[in-house]
Amino acid sequence: MSSKLIGVGVGPGDPELVTVKGVNALRAADVVVVPVMAAPDGRDGGERGRAEATVLHYVPEEKVVRVVFALNERSDRSRREAAWDAAGERVAGLLGLHGTVAFATIGDPNVYSTFTYLAYTIGELVPGTVVETVPGITAMQDLAARSGAVLTEGTEPLTLVPVTAGAAVLKDALNGPGTVVAYKFGRQAAEVAEALRDSGRLENAVWGSALGLEAESIRPAAELDGEPLPYLSTLIAPARRDGTRGGKL
């Protein structure tokens, strides 16, 4: 009988935002893998990430397996690939021992998630493994709820941009129609603020970090002063609207 790997979205950090289906999947799995950042020597850096902290609200610690992923490696491709391979081998070993392995990922497993790379690697290492995903609440949904920002109305498009792709990609999106959401922009906060000003989208934009956690911060984007922000900061720049009801229908 084939083993099963399930990517479970556990939301942006608030344990109450894990879906019932997500909690059931975590509890039903034989083990729950959580990704951890690597120290400079490539080993477990010891830091408890958001996914692990969220999972521990629902499953006992002895059921959780920490696996090092190259979450913070962007400049050295060979080192990143080696880390992915090592993580895949570790999870492949777990699949050899257990019927069902869950992988907990912040947000949604199909939106900029490490799970995508793991699933690909497992497909190469353990052919026949059944791969499933359980959707999770995304940071943009949580920020919209906490800030009161409306993501879309009527026929408006919604553009999601990882600023790790460069500020130019964000500028192009801001000059287009609809709402723009930027992920992972903390280290380029100055460029993001400049792009918002240049496109005339600064006034109604909002940013947030550590959503649902003790260190939560939600502020108007107009207060961006160029200082670096937490890496996982999220920005919402709502579409230009005329203030009428149903104006975009």
Side-chain angles (χ1 to χ4, degrees):
M1 191 171 181
S2 298
S3 294
K4 183 183 292 186
L5 176 65
I6 306 177
V8 181
V10 296
D14 183 347
E16 293 185 343
L17 290 181
V18 185
T19 66
V20 173
K21 186 169 184 176
V23 171
N24 288 340
L26 293 172
R27 288 176 173 168
D30 297 303
V31 295
V32 179
V33 171
V34 294
V36 297
M37 287 198 298
D41 62 2
R43 299 181 182 181
D44 185 340
E47 182 180 345
R48 177 173 289 174
R50 292 192 195 183
E52 182 178 4
T54 303
V55 164
L56 290 175
H57 279 79
Y58 298 105
V59 300
E61 190 167 2
E62 56 268 22
K63 188 174 176 175
V64 176
V65 177
R66 293 166 57 92
V67 176
V68 175
F69 282 81
L71 302 175
N72 50 346
E73 180 56 71
R74 298 195 171 275
S75 58
D76 190 331
R77 183 180 178 84
S78 62
R79 184 178 175 187
R80 184 172 67 240
E81 294 278 357
W84 285 348
D85 289 342
E89 293 280 1
R90 180 81 191 282
V91 174
L94 292 171
L95 286 165
L97 297 172
H98 305 284
T100 302
V101 174
F103 177 88
T105 177
I106 60 171
D108 182 277
N110 294 302
V111 180
Y112 300 130
S113 171
T114 306
F115 181 74
T116 303
Y117 313 123
L118 175 63
Y120 179 90
T121 305
I122 291 300
E124 297 284 318
L125 294 174
V126 193
T129 300
V130 175
V131 177
E132 298 178 357
T133 57
V134 177
I137 301 295
T138 61
M140 63 178 169
Q141 292 170 289
D142 196 14
L143 178 57
R146 293 175 187 276
S147 67
V150 175
L151 285 171
T152 55
E153 289 184 8
T155 58
E156 294 171 352
L158 173 64
T159 303
L160 176 59
V161 177
V163 182
T164 48
V169 178
L170 176 62
K171 290 179 181 179
D172 288 344
L174 288 169
N175 287 324
T179 294
V180 176
V181 175
Y183 274 5
K184 305 176 183 179
F185 80 92
R187 295 172 186 168
Q188 294 170 271
E191 293 94 326
V192 169
E194 179 185 1
L196 287 167
R197 283 192 294 269
D198 291 348
S199 62
R201 303 285 290 271
L202 183 63
E203 184 178 352
N204 295 317
V206 61
W207 71 268
S209 64
L211 300 174
L213 304 176
E214 212 172 291
E216 176 180 278
S217 180
I218 298 174
R219 307 278 290 282
E223 296 182 8
L224 288 171
D225 57 8
E227 289 296 313
L229 301 172
Y231 173 66
L232 290 178
S233 294
T234 298
L235 172 84
I236 298 176
R240 298 177 177 89
R241 298 170 182 138
D242 61 13
T244 62
R245 183 176 63 180
K248 294 293 185 72
L249 292 175

Coordinates of all heavy atoms in Angstrom, one line a residue, residues 150-227:
V150 N -10.4 45.6 1.8 CA -11.1 44.7 0.9 C -10.2 44.3 -0.3 O -9.7 45.2 -1.0 CB -12.4 45.4 0.3 CG1 -13.1 44.5 -0.7 CG2 -13.3 45.8 1.5
L151 N -10.0 43.0 -0.4 CA -9.1 42.5 -1.5 C -9.6 42.8 -2.9 O -8.9 43.2 -3.7 CB -8.8 41.1 -1.2 CG -7.9 40.7 -0.1 CD1 -7.8 39.2 0.2 CD2 -6.4 41.3 -0.4
T152 N -10.9 42.4 -3.1 CA -11.4 42.5 -4.5 C -12.9 42.9 -4.4 O -13.6 42.5 -3.5 CB -11.2 41.2 -5.3 OG1 -11.9 40.2 -4.6 CG2 -9.8 40.9 -5.6
E153 N -13.3 43.6 -5.4 CA -14.7 43.9 -5.6 C -15.0 43.7 -7.1 O -14.2 44.0 -8.0 CB -15.0 45.4 -5.3 CG -15.0 45.7 -3.8 CD -15.4 47.2 -3.6 OE1 -15.9 47.8 -4.5 OE2 -15.3 47.6 -2.4
G154 N -16.2 43.2 -7.4 CA -16.7 43.2 -8.8 C -15.8 42.5 -9.7 O -15.4 41.3 -9.6
T155 N -15.3 43.2 -10.7 CA -14.5 42.7 -11.8 C -13.0 43.0 -11.6 O -12.2 42.8 -12.4 CB -14.9 43.3 -13.1 OG1 -14.8 44.7 -13.1 CG2 -16.3 42.9 -13.5
E156 N -12.6 43.5 -10.4 CA -11.2 43.8 -10.1 C -10.3 42.6 -10.1 O -10.7 41.5 -9.5 CB -11.1 44.5 -8.7 CG -11.7 45.8 -8.6 CD -11.7 46.3 -7.2 OE1 -11.3 45.5 -6.3 OE2 -12.1 47.5 -7.0
P157 N -9.2 42.6 -10.7 CA -8.2 41.5 -10.6 C -7.4 41.7 -9.3 O -7.4 42.7 -8.7 CB -7.3 41.8 -11.8 CG -7.3 43.2 -12.1 CD -8.7 43.7 -11.7
L158 N -6.8 40.6 -8.9 CA -5.9 40.5 -7.8 C -4.6 40.0 -8.2 O -4.5 38.9 -8.7 CB -6.6 39.6 -6.7 CG -5.7 39.4 -5.4 CD1 -5.5 40.7 -4.6 CD2 -6.4 38.3 -4.5
T159 N -3.5 40.8 -7.9 CA -2.2 40.4 -8.3 C -1.3 40.1 -7.0 O -1.3 41.0 -6.1 CB -1.5 41.5 -9.1 OG1 -2.3 41.7 -10.3 CG2 -0.1 41.0 -9.5
L160 N -0.7 39.0 -6.9 CA 0.1 38.6 -5.8 C 1.6 38.6 -6.3 O 1.9 37.9 -7.2 CB -0.3 37.2 -5.2 CG 0.6 36.7 -4.1 CD1 0.6 37.6 -2.9 CD2 0.0 35.3 -3.7
V161 N 2.4 39.4 -5.6 CA 3.8 39.5 -6.0 C 4.8 39.2 -4.9 O 4.6 39.8 -3.8 CB 4.1 41.0 -6.5 CG1 5.6 41.1 -6.9 CG2 3.2 41.3 -7.7
P162 N 5.7 38.3 -5.1 CA 6.8 38.1 -4.1 C 7.9 39.1 -4.4 O 8.4 39.1 -5.5 CB 7.2 36.7 -4.3 CG 7.0 36.5 -5.8 CD 5.8 37.3 -6.2
V163 N 8.1 40.0 -3.5 CA 9.1 41.1 -3.8 C 10.5 40.5 -3.9 O 11.4 41.2 -4.3 CB 9.0 42.2 -2.7 CG1 9.9 43.4 -3.0 CG2 7.6 42.8 -2.7
T164 N 10.7 39.3 -3.5 CA 12.0 38.6 -3.7 C 12.3 38.6 -5.2 O 13.4 38.4 -5.6 CB 12.0 37.2 -3.1 OG1 10.8 36.5 -3.5 CG2 12.1 37.3 -1.6
A165 N 11.3 38.7 -6.1 CA 11.4 38.7 -7.5 C 12.0 40.1 -8.0 O 12.3 40.2 -9.2 CB 10.1 38.4 -8.2
G166 N 12.0 41.1 -7.1 CA 12.6 42.4 -7.5 C 11.5 43.5 -7.4 O 10.3 43.2 -7.7
A167 N 11.9 44.7 -7.1 CA 10.9 45.8 -7.0 C 10.3 46.1 -8.3 O 9.2 46.7 -8.3 CB 11.6 47.0 -6.4
A168 N 11.0 45.9 -9.4 CA 10.4 46.2 -10.7 C 9.1 45.4 -11.0 O 8.2 46.0 -11.6 CB 11.4 45.9 -11.8
V169 N 9.1 44.2 -10.5 CA 7.8 43.4 -10.7 C 6.7 44.0 -9.9 O 5.5 44.1 -10.4 CB 8.1 42.0 -10.2 CG1 6.8 41.1 -10.4 CG2 9.2 41.3 -11.0
L170 N 7.0 44.5 -8.7 CA 6.0 45.2 -7.9 C 5.5 46.5 -8.6 O 4.3 46.8 -8.7 CB 6.5 45.5 -6.5 CG 5.6 46.3 -5.6 CD1 4.3 45.5 -5.3 CD2 6.3 46.6 -4.3
K171 N 6.4 47.2 -9.1 CA 6.1 48.5 -9.8 C 5.1 48.3 -11.0 O 4.2 49.0 -11.2 CB 7.3 49.2 -10.3 CG 8.2 49.8 -9.1 CD 9.4 50.5 -9.6 CE 10.3 51.0 -8.5 NZ 11.5 51.7 -9.0
D172 N 5.4 47.2 -11.8 CA 4.6 46.9 -12.9 C 3.2 46.6 -12.4 O 2.2 47.0 -13.0 CB 5.1 45.7 -13.7 CG 6.4 46.1 -14.5 OD1 6.6 47.3 -14.7 OD2 7.1 45.2 -14.9
A173 N 3.1 45.8 -11.4 CA 1.8 45.4 -10.8 C 1.0 46.6 -10.3 O -0.2 46.8 -10.5 CB 1.9 44.4 -9.7
L174 N 1.7 47.5 -9.6 CA 1.0 48.7 -9.0 C 0.5 49.7 -10.1 O -0.4 50.4 -9.9 CB 2.0 49.4 -8.1 CG 2.3 48.8 -6.8 CD1 3.4 49.4 -6.1 CD2 1.1 48.7 -5.9
N175 N 1.2 49.6 -11.3 CA 0.7 50.5 -12.4 C -0.4 49.9 -13.2 O -1.0 50.6 -14.1 CB 1.9 50.8 -13.3 CG 2.9 51.8 -12.7 OD1 2.5 52.7 -12.0 ND2 4.2 51.5 -12.9
G176 N -0.8 48.7 -12.8 CA -1.9 48.0 -13.5 C -3.2 48.2 -12.6 O -3.2 48.9 -11.6
P177 N -4.3 47.6 -13.1 CA -5.6 47.7 -12.4 C -5.6 46.7 -11.2 O -4.8 45.8 -11.1 CB -6.6 47.3 -13.4 CG -5.8 46.3 -14.3 CD -4.4 46.7 -14.3
G178 N -6.6 46.9 -10.3 CA -6.9 46.0 -9.3 C -6.0 46.1 -8.1 O -5.1 47.0 -8.0
T179 N -6.2 45.2 -7.1 CA -5.5 45.2 -5.9 C -4.2 44.5 -6.0 O -4.1 43.5 -6.8 CB -6.3 44.5 -4.8 OG1 -7.5 45.3 -4.5 CG2 -5.5 44.3 -3.5
V180 N -3.1 45.0 -5.4 CA -1.8 44.3 -5.4 C -1.5 43.9 -4.0 O -1.5 44.7 -3.1 CB -0.8 45.3 -6.0 CG1 0.6 44.6 -5.9 CG2 -1.1 45.7 -7.4
V181 N -1.1 42.6 -3.9 CA -0.5 42.1 -2.6 C 0.9 41.8 -2.8 O 1.3 41.2 -3.8 CB -1.3 40.9 -2.2 CG1 -0.7 40.3 -0.9 CG2 -2.8 41.2 -1.9
A182 N 1.7 42.2 -1.9 CA 3.2 42.0 -1.9 C 3.6 41.1 -0.7 O 3.2 41.4 0.4 CB 4.0 43.2 -1.9
Y183 N 4.3 40.0 -1.0 CA 4.8 39.1 0.1 C 6.3 39.3 0.2 O 7.0 39.7 -0.8 CB 4.5 37.7 -0.3 CG 3.1 37.1 0.1 CD1 2.2 37.9 0.7 CD2 2.8 35.8 -0.1 CE1 0.9 37.4 1.0 CE2 1.6 35.3 0.2 CZ 0.7 36.1 0.8 OH -0.6 35.6 1.2
K184 N 6.8 39.0 1.4 CA 8.2 38.9 1.6 C 9.0 40.2 1.2 O 10.0 40.1 0.6 CB 8.8 37.7 0.9 CG 8.2 36.4 1.2 CD 8.7 35.3 0.3 CE 8.0 33.9 0.6 NZ 8.5 32.8 -0.2
F185 N 8.4 41.3 1.6 CA 9.0 42.6 1.2 C 9.8 43.3 2.2 O 10.3 44.4 2.0 CB 7.9 43.5 0.6 CG 7.1 44.3 1.7 CD1 7.5 45.5 2.1 CD2 6.0 43.7 2.3 CE1 6.8 46.2 3.1 CE2 5.3 44.4 3.2 CZ 5.7 45.6 3.7
G186 N 9.9 42.7 3.4 CA 10.5 43.4 4.6 C 11.9 43.9 4.3 O 12.2 45.1 4.7
R187 N 12.7 43.2 3.6 CA 14.1 43.6 3.4 C 14.2 44.7 2.3 O 15.3 45.3 2.2 CB 15.0 42.4 3.1 CG 15.1 41.4 4.2 CD 15.8 40.2 3.8 NE 15.8 39.2 4.8 CZ 16.1 37.9 4.7 NH1 16.5 37.5 3.5 NH2 16.0 37.0 5.7
Q188 N 13.1 44.9 1.6 CA 13.1 45.9 0.5 C 12.0 47.0 0.8 O 11.4 47.5 -0.1 CB 12.9 45.2 -0.8 CG 14.1 44.3 -1.2 CD 13.7 43.5 -2.5 OE1 13.2 42.4 -2.3 NE2 14.1 44.0 -3.6
A189 N 11.8 47.3 2.1 CA 10.8 48.2 2.5 C 10.9 49.6 1.8 O 9.9 50.2 1.4 CB 10.7 48.3 4.0
A190 N 12.2 50.0 1.7 CA 12.4 51.3 1.1 C 11.9 51.4 -0.4 O 11.3 52.3 -0.8 CB 13.9 51.7 1.2
E191 N 12.3 50.3 -1.1 CA 11.9 50.2 -2.5 C 10.4 50.1 -2.7 O 9.8 50.7 -3.6 CB 12.6 49.1 -3.2 CG 14.1 49.2 -3.4 CD 14.8 48.5 -2.2 OE1 14.3 48.5 -1.1 OE2 15.9 48.0 -2.5
V192 N 9.8 49.4 -1.8 CA 8.3 49.2 -1.8 C 7.6 50.6 -1.5 O 6.7 50.9 -2.2 CB 7.9 48.2 -0.8 CG1 6.4 48.2 -0.6 CG2 8.3 46.8 -1.2
A193 N 8.1 51.3 -0.6 CA 7.5 52.6 -0.3 C 7.6 53.5 -1.5 O 6.7 54.3 -1.8 CB 8.2 53.2 1.0
E194 N 8.8 53.5 -2.1 CA 9.0 54.3 -3.3 C 8.1 54.0 -4.4 O 7.5 54.8 -5.1 CB 10.5 54.2 -3.8 CG 10.8 55.0 -5.0 CD 12.2 54.7 -5.6 OE1 12.9 53.9 -4.9 OE2 12.6 55.4 -6.6
A195 N 7.9 52.6 -4.6 CA 7.0 52.2 -5.7 C 5.5 52.6 -5.4 O 4.8 53.0 -6.4 CB 7.1 50.6 -5.8
L196 N 5.1 52.5 -4.2 CA 3.8 53.0 -3.8 C 3.6 54.5 -4.1 O 2.5 54.9 -4.6 CB 3.5 52.7 -2.3 CG 3.3 51.2 -2.0 CD1 3.4 51.0 -0.5 CD2 1.9 50.7 -2.5
R197 N 4.6 55.3 -3.7 CA 4.5 56.7 -3.9 C 4.4 57.0 -5.4 O 3.6 57.8 -5.9 CB 5.7 57.4 -3.3 CG 5.5 57.6 -1.8 CD 6.6 58.6 -1.2 NE 7.9 58.0 -1.4 CZ 8.5 57.3 -0.5 NH1 7.9 57.0 0.7 NH2 9.7 56.8 -0.7
D198 N 5.3 56.4 -6.2 CA 5.4 56.7 -7.6 C 4.1 56.3 -8.4 O 3.8 56.9 -9.4 CB 6.6 56.0 -8.2 CG 7.9 56.5 -7.8 OD1 7.9 57.6 -7.1 OD2 9.0 55.8 -8.0
S199 N 3.5 55.3 -7.9 CA 2.2 54.8 -8.6 C 1.0 55.5 -8.0 O -0.1 55.2 -8.5 CB 2.1 53.3 -8.4 OG 2.0 52.9 -7.1
G200 N 1.1 56.3 -7.0 CA -0.1 56.9 -6.4 C -0.9 56.0 -5.6 O -2.1 56.2 -5.4
R201 N -0.3 54.9 -5.1 CA -1.1 53.8 -4.4 C -0.7 53.8 -2.9 O -1.0 52.8 -2.2 CB -0.8 52.5 -5.0 CG -1.0 52.3 -6.5 CD -2.5 52.2 -6.8 NE -3.1 51.0 -6.3 CZ -3.1 49.8 -7.1 NH1 -2.6 49.9 -8.3 NH2 -3.7 48.8 -6.7
L202 N -0.1 54.8 -2.4 CA 0.4 54.8 -1.0 C -0.7 55.0 0.0 O -0.8 54.4 1.1 CB 1.5 55.9 -0.8 CG 2.1 56.0 0.6 CD1 2.9 54.7 0.9 CD2 3.1 57.1 0.7
E203 N -1.7 55.9 -0.3 CA -2.6 56.4 0.7 C -3.4 55.3 1.4 O -3.6 55.3 2.6 CB -3.6 57.4 0.1 CG -4.6 58.0 1.1 CD -5.5 59.1 0.4 OE1 -5.3 59.4 -0.8 OE2 -6.4 59.5 1.1
N204 N -4.0 54.3 0.6 CA -4.9 53.3 1.2 C -4.2 52.0 1.5 O -4.8 51.0 1.9 CB -6.1 53.1 0.3 CG -6.9 54.4 0.1 OD1 -7.2 55.0 1.1 ND2 -7.3 54.7 -1.1
A205 N -2.9 51.9 1.2 CA -2.2 50.7 1.4 C -1.9 50.4 2.8 O -1.8 51.3 3.7 CB -0.9 50.7 0.6
V206 N -1.8 49.1 3.2 CA -1.5 48.7 4.6 C -0.5 47.6 4.6 O -0.5 46.8 3.6 CB -2.9 48.3 5.2 CG1 -3.5 47.1 4.5 CG2 -2.7 48.0 6.7
W207 N 0.3 47.5 5.6 CA 1.2 46.4 5.7 C 1.1 45.7 7.1 O 0.6 46.4 8.1 CB 2.6 46.8 5.5 CG 3.3 47.6 6.5 CD1 3.3 49.0 6.6 CD2 4.0 47.2 7.7 NE1 4.0 49.4 7.7 CE2 4.4 48.3 8.4 CE3 4.3 45.9 8.2 CZ2 5.1 48.3 9.6 CZ3 5.0 45.8 9.4 CH2 5.4 47.0 10.1
G208 N 1.4 44.5 7.2 CA 1.4 43.8 8.5 C 2.4 42.7 8.6 O 2.9 42.2 7.6
S209 N 2.8 42.4 9.8 CA 3.8 41.3 10.1 C 3.4 40.6 11.3 O 2.7 41.2 12.2 CB 5.2 41.9 10.2 OG 5.3 42.8 11.3
A210 N 3.9 39.4 11.5 CA 3.6 38.6 12.7 C 2.1 38.5 13.0 O 1.7 38.6 14.1 CB 4.4 39.1 13.9
L211 N 1.3 38.4 12.0 CA -0.1 38.4 12.1 C -0.6 37.3 13.1 O -0.3 36.1 12.9 CB -0.8 38.2 10.7 CG -0.5 39.3 9.7 CD1 -1.1 38.9 8.4 CD2 -0.9 40.6 10.2
G212 N -1.4 37.7 14.0 CA -2.0 36.7 15.0 C -1.0 36.3 16.1 O -1.3 35.5 16.9
L213 N 0.2 36.9 16.1 CA 1.2 36.6 17.1 C 1.4 37.8 18.1 O 0.9 38.9 17.8 CB 2.5 36.2 16.4 CG 2.4 35.1 15.4 CD1 3.8 34.9 14.7 CD2 2.0 33.8 16.1
E214 N 2.1 37.5 19.1 CA 2.3 38.6 20.1 C 3.0 39.8 19.5 O 2.7 40.9 19.9 CB 3.2 38.0 21.2 CG 2.9 38.6 22.6 CD 3.7 37.9 23.7 OE1 3.4 36.7 24.0 OE2 4.6 38.5 24.3
A215 N 3.9 39.6 18.6 CA 4.6 40.8 18.0 C 3.9 41.4 16.8 O 4.5 42.1 16.0 CB 6.0 40.3 17.5
E216 N 2.6 41.1 16.6 CA 1.8 41.6 15.5 C 1.9 43.1 15.3 O 1.9 43.9 16.3 CB 0.3 41.2 15.7 CG -0.6 41.8 14.5 CD -2.0 41.4 14.7 OE1 -2.4 40.3 14.4 OE2 -2.8 42.2 15.3
S217 N 2.1 43.5 14.1 CA 2.1 44.9 13.7 C 1.4 45.1 12.4 O 1.6 44.5 11.4 CB 3.6 45.4 13.6 OG 3.6 46.8 13.2
I218 N 0.4 46.0 12.5 CA -0.4 46.4 11.3 C -0.4 47.9 11.2 O -0.9 48.5 12.1 CB -1.8 45.8 11.4 CG1 -1.8 44.3 11.4 CG2 -2.7 46.3 10.2 CD1 -3.2 43.6 11.7
R219 N 0.1 48.4 10.1 CA 0.2 49.9 10.0 C -0.1 50.3 8.6 O 0.0 49.6 7.6 CB 1.7 50.2 10.3 CG 2.3 49.7 11.6 CD 1.9 50.5 12.8 NE 2.6 51.8 12.7 CZ 3.8 52.0 13.1 NH1 4.6 51.0 13.5 NH2 4.4 53.2 13.0
P220 N -0.5 51.6 8.5 CA -0.7 52.2 7.1 C 0.7 52.2 6.4 O 1.7 52.5 7.0 CB -1.2 53.6 7.4 CG -1.7 53.6 8.8 CD -0.9 52.6 9.5
A221 N 0.6 51.9 5.1 CA 1.9 51.9 4.4 C 2.5 53.3 4.3 O 3.7 53.4 4.1 CB 1.7 51.4 3.0
A222 N 1.7 54.3 4.5 CA 2.3 55.7 4.5 C 3.3 55.9 5.6 O 4.1 56.9 5.6 CB 1.1 56.7 4.7
E223 N 3.3 55.0 6.6 CA 4.2 55.2 7.7 C 5.5 54.4 7.5 O 6.4 54.5 8.3 CB 3.6 54.6 9.0 CG 2.4 55.4 9.5 CD 1.8 54.9 10.8 OE1 2.4 54.0 11.4 OE2 0.7 55.4 11.2
L224 N 5.6 53.8 6.3 CA 6.9 53.2 5.9 C 8.0 54.2 5.8 O 7.8 55.2 5.1 CB 6.8 52.4 4.6 CG 6.0 51.1 4.6 CD1 5.7 50.6 3.2 CD2 6.7 50.0 5.4
D225 N 9.1 54.0 6.6 CA 10.1 55.1 6.6 C 11.4 54.6 5.9 O 12.5 55.2 6.0 CB 10.4 55.5 8.0 CG 10.8 54.4 8.9 OD1 11.0 53.2 8.5 OD2 10.9 54.6 10.2
G226 N 11.3 53.4 5.3 CA 12.5 52.9 4.6 C 13.3 51.9 5.5 O 14.2 51.3 5.0
E227 N 13.0 51.8 6.8 CA 13.7 50.9 7.6 C 13.3 49.5 7.3 O 12.1 49.2 7.0 CB 13.4 51.2 9.1 CG 14.0 52.5 9.6 CD 15.6 52.4 9.6 OE1 16.1 51.4 10.1 OE2 16.2 53.4 9.1

